[in-house]
Amino acid sequence: MADVQKRVAAELDRLAPVIDELGARFEQAGEELALVGGPVRDAMLGRLQNDLDFTTSAHPDVTERILKGWADAVWDLGKEFGTIGARKGDWQIEITTWRSESYDPSSRKPSVAYGTSLHGDLRRRDFTVNAMALTIPGRQLEDPYGGIIDLAQRVLRTPGTPEESFSDDPLRMMRAARFAAQLGFAVDPSVVTAMTEMAERIEIISAERVRDELIKLVLAPQPRLGLRLLVDTGLASYVLPELPALALERDEHHRHKDVYEHTLTVLEQAIDLEEERGHAPDFVSRFAALMHDVGKPRTRRFQDDGAVTFHHHDVVGAKITRKRMQALRFSNEQIDAVSSLVELHLRFHGYGSGEWTDAAVRRYVRDAGDQLERLHILTRADCTTRNQRKAARLRRTYDDLEARIARLSEEEELASIRPDLDGNQIMEILGIGPGRAVGEAYTWLLDLRLDEGPKTPEQAEAALRDWWAARG
């Protein structure tokens, strides 16, 4: 406990320029203010952040008035829910009026009513570790539901009953999975039971809110913990049904891997590769790892000899991925990136022991486009064999492919491959105007560039004239 007190004191000293001034302004206005939720929890865990959440007795109009003239910027996008946002230097601030909220069974949006006390506001929060507050400017800790004890025991419980909490806001079931992944905490058995019994209620939550929680979960340090909880409670069947579908029954000869466990391992290996290669946590890369084999259940076939095949599961999986991400309202850019990676994840396995021609390597780079680095990570992560000799051989082979890509890129600028002649040059050489023939010539020259590498303008012109003459 002494260590916790030291961490909190140090964090409060760091926050002092903001919380002391803000607390004084609310106090002068006759209103109560408290730092609440994540910032208090993270201060106890020694996790620093610049996003600060406060709760207050002041109604939004009053909060807005208090902030003006002090904050660098103020916004009211969450005003209908009692929240006013602000920025002060490097600090992002949200101040929400004490409130209670609940969902009507037929509604996707919470109804909001202002509360009358700090303790009442804390009771409506998702978990006890997020239901602690520090009053400002007095710096008095309020922990009516035992959050400190649960923090020390690393467990997630709800302030009231889980059924009451999840009925008020079903998204909290996904937040349980997200916090398990972010904090590495266990989930209280009563919470797991309620999630299992109430999983269907997640359907009243908007796709956008589900998507945002899923992103946070996948970007967490230990997403396997959260994803397992979603699958085990049945929540995944509503928000990401492709994941539990991967838990295929093995054939009696055990000829194929447990695809669900393999997928979670690939995700973890992709995370390790992110760190090794110096990348920040990347949702696209991680979600591609999670979805790369979702085409397997639909393409599984048993052969007469007991062997199992999944022909074209890459193409089928890309279509399934696109459809799921569209349902979850992801951006077109994210959908295209993840779907492309899923479709390309098997391409390397045609490389053999390095038999690809330079033309094939160029096509690999062209097809990957700006997803090439992510494809490197996904392809390497997809090697989960327990055969260490085979694993080492696959790593060496991919090392060779990356080295060849680097060499060709240096020689030919692969990332920006274009034909050796542009459209205007094609029309001038062939004496034709704009039309389909120009596009066909451009495509032919691009294929020639990929197959044979760069040519001089004279060589490209001669080849183009020969091709045109052969067309008649």
Side-chain angles (χ1 to χ4, degrees):
M1 185 61 71
D3 289 341
V4 171
Q5 291 174 336
K6 287 181 180 178
R7 284 198 293 267
V8 172
E11 177 66 349
L12 290 180
D13 287 342
R14 189 178 74 90
L15 301 180
V18 173
I19 63 176
D20 289 351
E21 292 181 13
L22 201 54
R25 292 178 74 89
F26 274 80
E27 189 176 51
Q28 289 168 7
E31 303 287 356
E32 296 180 42
L33 182 71
L35 189 67
V36 70
V40 179
R41 177 200 70 219
D42 288 347
M44 294 181 178
L45 292 172
R47 293 159 41 124
L48 305 182
Q49 60 171 292
N50 281 7
D51 292 345
L52 304 180
D53 294 326
F54 296 87
T55 186
T56 181
S57 58
H59 282 205
D61 288 337
V62 177
T63 296
E64 206 169 5
R65 196 161 56 244
I66 293 171
L67 288 173
K68 285 183 177 176
W70 175 81
D72 298 328
V74 177
W75 51 90
D76 62 0
L77 291 179
K79 192 171 184 176
E80 63 177 312
F81 300 110
T83 300
I84 299 296
R87 177 177 54 80
K88 178 71 170 178
D90 294 333
W91 308 93
Q92 297 293 324
I93 297 165
E94 284 194 353
I95 303 176
T96 303
T97 305
W98 295 336
R99 66 187 185 186
S100 60
E101 65 182 31
S102 62
Y103 275 81
D104 182 277
S106 61
S107 173
R108 287 179 178 268
K109 294 184 178 181
S111 58
V112 177
Y114 296 138
T116 57
S117 71
L118 175 58
H119 283 203
D121 180 85
L122 295 178
R123 182 178 173 81
R124 59 154 287 277
R125 294 181 179 269
D126 50 12
F127 303 105
T128 59
V129 295
N130 295 328
M132 297 180 286
L134 199 71
T135 58
I136 305 298
R139 299 192 181 184
Q140 176 69 39
L141 179 66
E142 300 291 337
D143 181 23
Y145 304 107
I148 289 181
I149 295 174
D150 289 340
L151 200 67
Q153 295 179 345
R154 301 177 65 81
V155 64
L156 291 173
R157 288 190 309 108
T158 53
T161 68
E163 291 79 9
E164 178 186 49
S165 180
F166 298 154
S167 180
D168 283 348
D169 186 352
L171 191 67
R172 290 172 179 169
M173 295 186 287
M174 286 200 66
R175 286 169 66 83
R178 190 246 291 185
F179 283 122
Q182 284 183 333
L183 304 174
F185 283 15
V187 181
D188 187 82
S190 66
V191 174
V192 175
T193 298
M195 290 172 67
T196 304
E197 293 175 349
M198 302 176 67
E200 184 178 5
R201 189 147 167 76
I202 197 68
E203 291 192 303
I204 73 166
I205 301 297
S206 69
E208 290 82 0
R209 295 186 74 208
V210 169
R211 174 202 64 207
D212 292 345
E213 280 299 321
L214 187 61
I215 291 173
K216 293 173 184 176
L217 192 162
V218 170
L219 288 174
Q222 301 179 69
R224 180 190 281 259
L225 295 177
L227 293 168
R228 273 198 182 285
L229 186 60
L230 292 182
V231 172
D232 293 346
T233 58
L235 269 166
S237 297
Y238 296 97
V239 300
L240 194 65
E242 294 77 13
L243 186 58
L246 293 175
L248 303 172
E249 294 182 10
R250 300 190 188 194
D251 63 288
E252 59 180 330
H253 302 290
H254 300 276
R255 297 284 183 85
H256 67 84
K257 298 176 183 178
D258 181 328
V259 184
Y260 170 60
E261 292 296 334
H262 163 74
T263 294
L264 295 180
T265 300
V266 171
L267 173 58
E268 290 183 328
Q269 293 187 168
I271 293 171
D272 291 341
L273 285 164
E274 271 180 1
E275 296 175 359
E276 287 177 19
R277 296 168 81 105
H279 301 317
D282 176 26
F283 175 77
V284 168
S285 181
R286 294 186 183 195
F287 201 62
L290 190 62
M291 301 294 284
H292 79 284
D293 273 348
V294 294
K296 280 191 170 180
R298 193 173 295 179
T299 59
R300 182 173 61 157
R301 300 290 183 271
F302 292 96
Q303 305 301 305
D304 292 339
D305 63 356
V308 183
T309 63
F310 302 99
H311 295 313
H312 307 302
H313 78 267
D314 47 347
V315 177
V316 172
K319 293 178 180 177
I320 292 172
T321 297
R322 180 173 292 277
K323 186 174 180 180
R324 174 55 51 200
M325 293 185 74
Q326 287 172 338
L328 289 170
R329 306 289 194 271
F330 279 94
S331 68
N332 290 334
E333 182 180 3
Q334 289 174 309
I335 294 171
D336 289 343
V338 176
S339 301
S340 175
L341 289 167
V342 172
E343 186 167 356
L344 291 171
H345 83 273
L346 289 182
R347 186 72 63 87
F348 161 71
H349 295 286
Y351 189 67
S353 299
E355 294 88 357
W356 276 3
T357 62
D358 284 352
V361 175
R362 294 186 192 101
R363 291 181 187 279
Y364 187 79
V365 173
R366 182 190 69 173
D367 291 347
D370 58 4
Q371 301 305 313
L372 182 61
E373 174 63 10
R374 287 168 168 157
L375 183 58
H376 290 332
I377 289 174
L378 175 58
T379 304
R380 288 181 179 275
D382 195 24
C383 175
T384 61
T385 179
R386 295 178 183 176
N387 184 326
Q388 293 303 310
R389 183 176 297 178
K390 180 180 179 182
R393 176 176 57 78
L394 286 169
R395 284 194 295 270
R396 287 194 303 269
T397 305
Y398 206 88
D399 287 343
D400 176 69
L401 175 58
E402 284 205 66
R404 288 185 64 189
I405 290 172
R407 175 176 57 79
L408 286 172
S409 294
E410 185 176 352
E411 294 173 358
E412 306 177 17
E413 298 183 6
L414 286 189
S416 57
I417 281 185
R418 298 288 187 274
D420 294 298
L421 301 172
D422 62 27
N424 289 328
Q425 290 171 310
I426 290 170
M427 289 188 288
E428 182 178 349
I429 291 168
L430 300 182
I432 60 175
R436 180 181 300 174
V438 178
E440 293 173 354
Y442 188 92
T443 300
W444 182 83
L445 284 168
L446 178 58
D447 287 337
L448 183 68
R449 172 78 164 76
L450 290 168
D451 289 337
E452 300 181 8
K455 295 182 178 298
T456 66
E458 293 76 20
Q459 291 171 330
E461 179 177 341
L464 175 63
R465 290 187 183 280
D466 290 343
W467 171 79
W468 185 251
R471 280 170 52 98

